[in-house]
Amino acid sequence: MLSSPPTTLSHAQKDRLKHIELRLRFLGEIGRAELMQRFGMASAAASRDLALYKDLAPRNIDYDSRNKRYYLGSPFKPLFNVPTDQILSWLAEQTGDTTAPSSDALLPCAAPTSLSLPNPDTLATVTRAIHAQQALHITYHALTSGTSQREIVPFALLNTGLRWHTRAFDRKSGQFRDFVLTRIIKPSPSRTPPQAHERPEHDLQWGRILDLTLVPHPDRPYPDTTCLDYGMTDGMLRLRLRAAVAGYVLRLYNVDCTPDHHLDGEEYRLWLQDALVLYGVDSARVAPGYQAPSTTGAA
Protein backbone atom coordinates (compact mmCIF):
# COMPACT_ATOMS: atom_id res chain seq x y z
CA MET A 1 0.00 0.00 0.00
CA LEU A 2 1.18 3.49 -0.82
CA SER A 3 2.09 5.81 2.04
CA SER A 4 1.04 8.87 0.03
CA PRO A 5 -1.18 9.55 -3.01
CA PRO A 6 0.48 9.69 -6.43
CA THR A 7 1.52 13.12 -7.64
CA THR A 8 -0.32 12.63 -10.94
CA LEU A 9 -3.72 13.12 -9.28
CA SER A 10 -5.50 16.38 -9.98
CA HIS A 11 -6.56 18.68 -7.13
CA ALA A 12 -10.19 17.68 -7.71
CA GLN A 13 -9.34 13.97 -7.48
CA LYS A 14 -7.34 14.54 -4.30
CA ASP A 15 -10.28 16.43 -2.78
CA ARG A 16 -12.62 13.53 -3.47
CA LEU A 17 -10.20 10.83 -2.34
CA LYS A 18 -9.45 12.77 0.81
CA HIS A 19 -13.18 13.02 1.54
CA ILE A 20 -13.48 9.24 1.10
CA GLU A 21 -10.62 8.68 3.52
CA LEU A 22 -11.95 11.11 6.14
CA ARG A 23 -15.38 9.47 6.16
CA LEU A 24 -13.84 6.01 6.40
CA ARG A 25 -11.47 6.95 9.20
CA PHE A 26 -13.75 9.12 11.31
CA LEU A 27 -17.23 7.75 10.52
CA GLY A 28 -16.28 4.20 9.57
CA GLU A 29 -18.24 4.01 6.31
CA ILE A 30 -19.09 5.68 3.01
CA GLY A 31 -21.32 5.03 0.02
CA ARG A 32 -21.69 6.46 -3.45
CA ALA A 33 -24.57 8.66 -2.28
CA GLU A 34 -22.33 10.69 0.07
CA LEU A 35 -19.86 11.42 -2.73
CA MET A 36 -22.64 12.29 -5.17
CA GLN A 37 -24.22 14.71 -2.70
CA ARG A 38 -20.94 16.28 -1.58
CA PHE A 39 -19.43 16.83 -5.03
CA GLY A 40 -22.51 16.92 -7.28
CA MET A 41 -21.27 13.96 -9.31
CA ALA A 42 -22.94 11.09 -11.13
CA SER A 43 -23.15 7.56 -9.72
CA ALA A 44 -20.64 6.16 -12.21
CA ALA A 45 -18.08 8.85 -11.34
CA ALA A 46 -18.51 8.16 -7.61
CA SER A 47 -17.94 4.46 -8.24
CA ARG A 48 -14.73 5.26 -10.14
CA ASP A 49 -13.39 7.36 -7.24
CA LEU A 50 -14.16 4.62 -4.72
CA ALA A 51 -12.48 2.04 -6.97
CA LEU A 52 -9.47 4.33 -7.37
CA TYR A 53 -9.13 4.73 -3.59
CA LYS A 54 -9.33 0.95 -3.18
CA ASP A 55 -6.58 0.54 -5.80
CA LEU A 56 -4.36 3.02 -3.96
CA ALA A 57 -5.06 1.73 -0.45
CA PRO A 58 -6.65 -1.75 -0.66
CA ARG A 59 -6.35 -2.51 3.06
CA ASN A 60 -8.01 0.76 4.10
CA ILE A 61 -11.40 -0.03 2.62
CA ASP A 62 -13.73 -3.06 2.51
CA TYR A 63 -16.79 -3.41 0.29
CA ASP A 64 -20.01 -5.01 1.53
CA SER A 65 -21.92 -6.23 -1.52
CA ARG A 66 -25.11 -6.81 0.48
CA ASN A 67 -25.76 -3.15 1.22
CA LYS A 68 -23.40 -1.72 -1.40
CA ARG A 69 -21.38 0.34 1.08
CA TYR A 70 -17.69 0.67 1.87
CA TYR A 71 -16.33 0.24 5.40
CA LEU A 72 -13.09 0.93 7.25
CA GLY A 73 -10.51 -1.76 6.61
CA SER A 74 -7.92 -3.11 9.00
CA PRO A 75 -5.13 -2.27 9.39
CA PHE A 76 -5.77 1.30 8.29
CA LYS A 77 -2.95 3.60 7.20
CA PRO A 78 -3.98 7.05 5.90
CA LEU A 79 -2.87 8.18 2.49
CA PHE A 80 -3.37 11.84 3.29
CA ASN A 81 -1.66 13.77 6.05
CA VAL A 82 -4.43 16.09 7.30
CA PRO A 83 -3.68 18.35 10.31
CA THR A 84 -5.84 17.65 13.33
CA ASP A 85 -7.32 21.16 13.43
CA GLN A 86 -8.54 20.73 9.84
CA ILE A 87 -10.02 17.34 10.72
CA LEU A 88 -11.91 18.93 13.60
CA SER A 89 -13.16 21.73 11.35
CA TRP A 90 -14.36 19.13 8.86
CA LEU A 91 -16.16 17.18 11.57
CA ALA A 92 -17.72 20.30 13.06
CA GLU A 93 -18.90 21.79 9.77
CA GLN A 94 -19.53 18.47 7.96
CA THR A 95 -18.24 19.80 4.68
CA GLY A 96 -14.63 18.82 4.19
CA ASP A 97 -13.83 22.10 2.45
CA THR A 98 -11.08 22.99 4.93
CA THR A 99 -9.09 19.92 3.92
CA ALA A 100 -9.08 20.59 0.19
CA PRO A 101 -5.77 21.68 -1.37
CA SER A 102 -7.77 24.02 -3.61
CA SER A 103 -9.25 25.81 -0.59
CA ASP A 104 -6.23 27.97 0.25
CA ALA A 105 -6.94 31.36 1.81
CA LEU A 106 -7.31 34.18 -0.71
CA LEU A 107 -5.51 36.63 1.60
CA PRO A 108 -2.83 36.22 4.27
CA CYS A 109 -4.43 35.13 7.54
CA ALA A 110 -2.97 34.49 10.98
CA ALA A 111 -4.84 32.45 13.59
CA PRO A 112 -4.00 31.51 17.18
CA THR A 113 -2.19 28.23 17.64
CA SER A 114 -4.21 25.61 19.45
CA LEU A 115 -2.35 24.14 22.41
CA SER A 116 -4.68 21.19 22.92
CA LEU A 117 -5.37 18.96 19.92
CA PRO A 118 -6.43 15.32 20.34
CA ASN A 119 -4.57 12.39 18.84
CA PRO A 120 -6.16 11.70 15.41
CA ASP A 121 -6.46 7.95 16.07
CA THR A 122 -8.20 8.57 19.38
CA LEU A 123 -10.46 11.10 17.70
CA ALA A 124 -11.26 8.62 14.93
CA THR A 125 -12.26 5.89 17.40
CA VAL A 126 -14.54 8.31 19.26
CA THR A 127 -16.18 9.71 16.13
CA ARG A 128 -16.80 6.24 14.71
CA ALA A 129 -18.47 5.29 17.99
CA ILE A 130 -20.66 8.40 17.80
CA HIS A 131 -21.62 7.65 14.21
CA ALA A 132 -22.33 3.96 14.88
CA GLN A 133 -23.96 4.60 18.29
CA GLN A 134 -21.51 2.38 20.15
CA ALA A 135 -20.07 2.37 23.66
CA LEU A 136 -16.34 2.65 24.29
CA HIS A 137 -13.96 1.34 26.92
CA ILE A 138 -11.36 4.01 27.73
CA THR A 139 -8.54 4.82 30.10
CA TYR A 140 -9.20 8.35 31.31
CA HIS A 141 -6.91 10.82 33.04
CA ALA A 142 -8.83 13.34 35.16
CA LEU A 143 -7.43 16.31 37.04
CA THR A 144 -9.53 15.57 40.13
CA SER A 145 -9.50 11.77 40.35
CA GLY A 146 -6.43 10.62 38.40
CA THR A 147 -6.44 7.63 36.07
CA SER A 148 -9.42 5.29 35.82
CA GLN A 149 -10.98 2.72 33.54
CA ARG A 150 -14.39 3.71 32.23
CA GLU A 151 -17.06 2.79 29.73
CA ILE A 152 -18.71 5.72 28.00
CA VAL A 153 -21.41 6.14 25.38
CA PRO A 154 -20.37 9.19 23.32
CA PHE A 155 -22.90 11.01 21.17
CA ALA A 156 -21.42 14.43 20.27
CA LEU A 157 -18.23 16.46 19.98
CA LEU A 158 -17.98 19.67 21.95
CA ASN A 159 -15.55 22.50 21.23
CA THR A 160 -15.07 24.79 24.23
CA GLY A 161 -12.76 27.10 22.32
CA LEU A 162 -9.83 25.82 24.39
CA ARG A 163 -10.23 22.04 24.22
CA TRP A 164 -12.28 19.44 22.40
CA HIS A 165 -14.53 17.18 24.46
CA THR A 166 -16.94 14.39 23.75
CA ARG A 167 -20.34 14.47 25.44
CA ALA A 168 -21.11 10.98 26.69
CA PHE A 169 -22.93 8.87 29.22
CA ASP A 170 -20.44 7.69 31.84
CA ARG A 171 -21.29 4.19 33.08
CA LYS A 172 -19.02 4.58 36.11
CA SER A 173 -20.88 7.57 37.57
CA GLY A 174 -24.23 6.89 35.90
CA GLN A 175 -24.28 10.46 34.56
CA PHE A 176 -23.84 12.36 31.33
CA ARG A 177 -20.48 14.14 31.34
CA ASP A 178 -17.88 15.86 29.18
CA PHE A 179 -14.64 13.99 28.50
CA VAL A 180 -11.59 15.89 27.24
CA LEU A 181 -10.33 14.07 24.15
CA THR A 182 -6.65 14.57 24.95
CA ARG A 183 -7.17 12.73 28.25
CA ILE A 184 -8.63 9.60 26.61
CA ILE A 185 -6.14 6.75 26.19
CA LYS A 186 -6.58 3.49 24.26
CA PRO A 187 -10.29 3.73 23.40
CA SER A 188 -11.81 0.50 22.13
CA PRO A 189 -15.38 -0.63 21.34
CA SER A 190 -17.31 -2.08 24.26
CA ARG A 191 -19.15 -5.36 23.96
CA THR A 192 -22.14 -3.90 25.79
CA PRO A 193 -24.40 -1.90 23.46
CA PRO A 194 -25.92 1.40 24.61
CA GLN A 195 -29.01 1.09 26.78
CA ALA A 196 -32.12 3.23 26.46
CA HIS A 197 -31.25 5.47 29.43
CA GLU A 198 -27.80 6.16 27.95
CA ARG A 199 -29.19 7.82 24.82
CA PRO A 200 -28.75 11.60 24.31
CA GLU A 201 -32.47 12.27 24.62
CA HIS A 202 -32.09 11.50 28.34
CA ASP A 203 -29.29 14.05 28.83
CA LEU A 204 -31.18 16.91 30.49
CA GLN A 205 -28.25 19.33 30.28
CA TRP A 206 -27.86 18.67 26.56
CA GLY A 207 -31.57 19.01 25.86
CA ARG A 208 -32.11 22.17 27.95
CA ILE A 209 -31.88 25.34 25.84
CA LEU A 210 -30.99 28.63 27.53
CA ASP A 211 -31.80 32.14 26.34
CA LEU A 212 -28.93 34.39 27.43
CA THR A 213 -28.81 38.18 27.12
CA LEU A 214 -25.37 39.79 27.07
CA VAL A 215 -24.81 43.54 27.32
CA PRO A 216 -21.75 45.79 27.42
CA HIS A 217 -20.15 45.64 30.86
CA PRO A 218 -21.64 48.52 32.88
CA ASP A 219 -18.24 49.40 34.39
CA ARG A 220 -16.23 49.50 31.13
CA PRO A 221 -15.89 52.62 28.97
CA TYR A 222 -17.09 52.97 25.37
CA PRO A 223 -20.06 50.58 25.31
CA ASP A 224 -20.76 51.55 21.69
CA THR A 225 -17.47 49.96 20.67
CA THR A 226 -18.46 46.72 22.40
CA CYS A 227 -21.80 46.82 20.60
CA LEU A 228 -19.99 47.06 17.27
CA ASP A 229 -17.51 44.29 18.14
CA TYR A 230 -20.28 41.83 18.96
CA GLY A 231 -22.92 42.96 16.45
CA MET A 232 -25.40 43.89 19.17
CA THR A 233 -28.93 45.06 18.44
CA ASP A 234 -30.37 47.70 20.78
CA GLY A 235 -27.33 47.25 23.00
CA MET A 236 -27.93 43.53 23.55
CA LEU A 237 -26.63 40.23 22.24
CA ARG A 238 -29.06 37.34 22.60
CA LEU A 239 -27.76 33.76 22.53
CA ARG A 240 -29.54 30.41 22.53
CA LEU A 241 -27.22 27.75 23.91
CA ARG A 242 -27.43 24.25 25.27
CA ALA A 243 -27.00 24.17 29.03
CA ALA A 244 -24.16 21.67 28.54
CA VAL A 245 -22.08 24.25 26.64
CA ALA A 246 -23.24 27.61 28.06
CA GLY A 247 -20.58 27.87 30.76
CA TYR A 248 -17.80 27.22 28.28
CA VAL A 249 -19.04 29.96 25.95
CA LEU A 250 -19.31 32.45 28.83
CA ARG A 251 -15.76 31.62 29.91
CA LEU A 252 -14.38 31.83 26.37
CA TYR A 253 -15.72 35.36 25.93
CA ASN A 254 -14.94 36.49 29.50
CA VAL A 255 -18.55 37.31 30.34
CA ASP A 256 -18.98 38.68 33.87
CA CYS A 257 -21.68 36.46 35.39
CA THR A 258 -21.90 38.16 38.79
CA PRO A 259 -25.24 39.78 39.69
CA ASP A 260 -23.58 43.10 40.47
CA HIS A 261 -21.02 43.01 37.60
CA HIS A 262 -18.13 43.35 40.04
CA LEU A 263 -15.41 41.42 38.18
CA ASP A 264 -12.52 43.78 37.54
CA GLY A 265 -10.33 43.64 34.46
CA GLU A 266 -10.29 44.92 30.92
CA GLU A 267 -11.02 41.44 29.58
CA TYR A 268 -14.57 41.61 31.00
CA ARG A 269 -16.31 43.62 28.33
CA LEU A 270 -19.60 41.70 28.51
CA TRP A 271 -22.05 41.14 31.34
CA LEU A 272 -24.72 38.46 31.66
CA GLN A 273 -27.84 40.49 32.34
CA ASP A 274 -29.68 37.79 34.31
CA ALA A 275 -27.40 35.31 36.08
CA LEU A 276 -30.42 33.38 37.39
CA VAL A 277 -30.79 31.80 33.97
CA LEU A 278 -27.78 29.64 34.88
CA TYR A 279 -29.47 28.10 37.92
CA GLY A 280 -29.19 24.31 37.73
CA VAL A 281 -26.75 24.45 34.80
CA ASP A 282 -23.79 22.12 35.37
CA SER A 283 -21.43 23.98 33.03
CA ALA A 284 -22.02 27.22 34.97
CA ARG A 285 -19.21 26.14 37.29
CA VAL A 286 -16.73 27.54 34.74
CA ALA A 287 -18.69 30.73 33.99
CA PRO A 288 -16.69 33.75 35.28
CA GLY A 289 -17.90 34.82 38.72
CA TYR A 290 -21.07 32.72 38.75
CA GLN A 291 -22.31 31.48 42.11
CA ALA A 292 -25.53 29.57 42.57
CA PRO A 293 -28.12 31.41 44.68
CA SER A 294 -27.86 30.47 48.36
CA THR A 295 -30.78 28.61 49.90
CA THR A 296 -29.64 29.11 53.48
CA GLY A 297 -32.00 30.97 55.75
CA ALA A 298 -35.09 30.03 53.74
CA ALA A 299 -38.27 29.64 55.76
Side-chain angles (χ1 to χ4, degrees), residues 45-265:
S47 295
R48 286 196 297 271
D49 281 340
L50 288 162
L52 175 59
Y53 186 85
K54 188 169 180 62
D55 286 342
L56 295 173
R59 301 178 73 179
N60 281 4
I61 184 170
D62 292 327
Y63 181 65
D64 187 334
S65 59
R66 291 174 299 177
N67 57 16
K68 298 181 179 180
R69 290 188 67 79
Y70 294 83
Y71 294 92
L72 179 74
S74 178
F76 178 89
K77 184 178 180 182
L79 280 175
F80 297 94
N81 181 22
V82 182
T84 302
D85 56 345
Q86 291 188 2
I87 293 170
L88 290 165
S89 295
W90 176 78
L91 288 167
E93 298 178 15
Q94 299 180 2
T95 62
D97 288 342
T98 57
T99 67
S102 57
S103 301
D104 293 337
L106 297 177
L107 295 172
C109 177
T113 299
S114 177
L115 302 182
S116 180
L117 290 175
N119 177 280
D121 292 330
T122 297
L123 175 64
T125 303
V126 172
T127 55
R128 289 197 300 267
I130 293 173
H131 182 71
Q133 299 183 6
Q134 295 177 335
L136 290 176
H137 177 82
I138 65 172
T139 299
Y140 192 69
H141 294 259
L143 288 176
T144 55
S145 57
T147 305
S148 62
Q149 303 298 313
R150 296 173 181 265
E151 284 200 353
I152 64 173
V153 184
F155 66 86
L157 293 181
L158 194 162
N159 180 10
T160 70
L162 298 174
R163 291 185 294 267
W164 282 83
H165 301 224
T166 183
R167 185 73 177 174
F169 183 84
D170 175 26
R171 287 176 171 170
K172 183 176 182 179
S173 65
Q175 298 176 340
F176 288 94
R177 293 186 172 182
D178 302 334
F179 291 87
V180 182
L181 291 179
T182 53
R183 301 175 188 172
I184 294 176
I185 306 297
K186 298 179 180 177
S188 61
S190 168
R191 296 181 180 179
T192 307
Q195 306 300 305
H197 69 282
E198 300 171 338
R199 302 288 185 183
E201 57 266 29
H202 296 286
D203 184 352
L204 299 181
Q205 295 290 313
W206 186 259
R208 180 180 171 185
I209 305 299
L210 306 179
D211 290 302
L212 307 180
T213 300
L214 309 184
V215 299
H217 198 286
D219 301 329
R220 301 284 95 78
Y222 310 117
D224 290 345
T225 303
T226 299
C227 289
L228 289 172
D229 281 349
Y230 294 96
M232 293 184 174
T233 301
D234 297 327
M236 293 182 290
L237 178 63
R238 292 184 172 88
L239 302 177
R240 287 178 59 82
L241 299 172
R242 296 184 185 275
V245 305
Y248 299 122
V249 174
L250 294 168
R251 179 177 64 177
L252 179 64
Y253 289 100
N254 294 315
V255 179
D256 185 342
C257 298
T258 62
D260 58 355
H261 48 80
H262 71 257
L263 293 185
D264 189 24

